[in-house]
Amino acid sequence: MEQMEFHHISVLLKETVDGLNVKPGGIYADGTMGFGGHSQEVLSRLEGKGRMVCVDQDADAILAASNRLAPYKEIFGDRLSIVRSNYVDMPLVFDGLGIDQVDGIMLDLGVSSFQLDEAKRGFTYRMEGPLDMRMDQRGSLTAADIVNTYSREELCRVLWDYGEEKFARSIADRILKEREKKPLETTTELVDIIRASIPARARNAGGHPAKRTFQALRIEVNRELDVLTDSIDAMIDRLAPGGRLCIITFQSLEDRIVKNAFRRNENPCTCPPEFPVCVCGKKSKGRVVSRKPILPSKEELAVNSRSKSAKLR
């Protein structure tokens, strides 16, 4: 097994694992293991007891985290499971391991530092690489497929819905014009197109001009919002009494999905407000522990600028 070296600071580490309320002997799951920072902290609090299930769809993450968590594998043995899968399939992973209920599940929805720092993965607009952006390298759809085959209307939808890019039409038009000459292949080609599509005044405000487009393409490639929407209810259903679900988001679209799903599961009643008693029969599945999102501390922001948009619910 080839050793892989990555440098990654886990966002909201203490706050997330504190939120899980880890009990020695409990069963916990990390649906977005990444480099394994959050998983490692949970394992250290389990004191050699209980069980941990670590899931990630990225082959690089599986390798890096397996190396990092190797000392715990020696302690836990079969009670530490590292599985390559998408967290939307976590109920199937639990079934395959003979696990009915868990005491806590956590998700960190951000792009890992090692994904951003590896130019060949195509996630970053700061270095040249192929237009890829697949979190699971087994997937068939890439960012290159989107920019080279989607219609103008489809491109506009992706850029607006997932990137909230107000220059979506201008960017889409220029993509179509440039791809008539030759297929777009690299991140720098796309960045140049985006720069040329945005007025100078707007280019110089609000961070890198390609940030919103790259976010939108990444979400489309990996179906990120659909996966999140399809996962939360099923995860809540697998929690044992007193179990906790902790989710870190990095942009407003994700945070809104989590907030609304938590509220709906806490108060699922669909009866009209004027009804004196509930007749729909829908029962609460629990309560929202943190009414407002938990944000990074000043100390964390000082050492990890990538945590600035993180929110924990």
Side-chain angles (χ1 to χ4, degrees):
M1 181 179 289
E2 180 186 359
Q3 179 77 23
M4 301 186 74
E5 288 294 332
F6 295 112
H7 300 283
H8 176 70
I9 303 173
S10 298
V11 172
L12 289 164
L13 176 61
K14 183 179 185 299
E15 293 86 348
T16 302
V17 181
D18 284 351
L20 285 177
N21 194 28
V22 176
K23 302 174 292 187
I27 303 175
Y28 295 89
D30 185 347
T32 50
M33 175 179 59
F35 192 36
H38 291 98
S39 293
Q40 183 178 29
E41 181 63 23
V42 173
L43 286 162
S44 70
R45 298 192 191 189
L46 284 174
E47 301 174 2
K49 306 168 187 174
R51 190 169 185 179
M52 184 81 197
V53 180
C54 304
V55 174
D56 206 288
Q57 60 184 327
D58 189 321
D60 291 343
I62 292 289
L63 178 55
S66 294
N67 288 323
R68 179 175 187 166
L69 301 179
Y72 293 95
K73 188 66 175 175
E74 293 181 9
I75 298 169
F76 284 82
D78 291 342
R79 292 182 290 116
L80 170 56
S81 302
I82 297 177
V83 182
R84 187 179 182 190
S85 184
N86 190 308
Y87 69 79
V88 73
D89 295 321
M90 200 179 292
L92 297 176
V93 172
F94 292 158
D95 290 343
L97 295 171
I99 297 172
D100 183 33
Q101 292 183 319
V102 297
D103 297 292
I105 301 172
M106 56 184 167
L107 299 178
D108 175 356
L109 302 179
V111 182
S112 297
S113 295
F114 63 77
Q115 290 172 328
L116 286 171
D117 294 340
E118 285 284 302
K120 66 182 181 182
R121 300 296 300 275
F123 286 104
T124 180
Y125 40 78
R126 301 190 185 280
M127 296 181 283
E128 180 165 76
L131 281 169
D132 193 325
M133 301 193 193
R134 292 172 297 170
M135 290 184 173
D136 186 338
Q137 298 93 328
R138 300 169 297 185
S140 58
L141 183 68
T142 68
D145 295 327
I146 294 171
V147 298
N148 287 308
T149 67
Y150 276 28
S151 68
R152 179 182 186 273
E153 291 71 24
E154 288 173 320
L155 285 171
C156 288
R157 172 189 62 80
V158 169
L159 299 184
W160 176 252
D161 288 354
Y162 298 155
E164 299 178 296
E165 174 55 76
K166 60 183 178 181
F167 298 105
R169 291 188 181 89
S170 176
I171 294 170
D173 286 342
R174 192 169 289 269
I175 287 174
L176 263 64
K177 180 180 177 182
E178 293 300 322
R179 78 187 192 192
E180 287 180 1
K181 304 173 186 175
K182 76 170 202 62
L184 305 180
E185 298 175 344
T186 68
T187 53
T188 47
E189 284 179 299
L190 181 57
V191 169
D192 289 343
I193 288 172
I194 296 166
R195 287 188 188 278
S197 305
I198 298 177
R201 182 181 296 178
R203 279 202 308 269
N204 299 326
H208 197 287
K211 180 178 180 179
R212 291 177 295 276
T213 294
F214 271 63
Q215 172 185 296
L217 292 173
R218 192 198 78 224
I219 290 173
E220 176 74 1
V221 167
N222 299 288
R223 296 183 54 253
E224 292 177 35
L225 300 186
D226 292 338
V227 167
L228 180 61
T229 300
D230 294 343
S231 298
I232 297 176
D233 290 4
M235 289 184 181
I236 292 173
D237 289 342
R238 299 302 286 258
L239 291 176
R244 298 277 185 91
L245 173 59
C246 300
I247 303 180
I248 303 171
T249 64
F250 286 83
Q251 36 102 343
S252 59
L253 299 171
E254 294 172 337
D255 184 60
R256 195 176 306 133
I257 291 170
V258 175
K259 178 177 67 174
N260 292 338
F262 278 18
R263 285 179 177 174
R264 186 183 67 253
N265 279 277
E266 181 181 49
N267 183 21
C269 178
T270 54
C271 296
E274 61 270 17
F275 276 30
V277 295
C278 174
V279 296
C280 72
K282 296 179 179 178
K283 304 295 184 184
S284 175
K285 295 180 181 179
R287 66 180 179 87
V288 178
V289 178
S290 56
R291 290 296 164 187
K292 293 184 178 180
I294 297 167
L295 306 178
S297 64
K298 291 180 180 178
E299 292 75 16
E300 179 170 3
L301 290 170
V303 298
N304 184 13
S305 61
R306 285 176 175 168
S307 69
K308 66 183 179 181
S309 58
K311 293 181 178 180
L312 168 66
R313 292 188 183 270

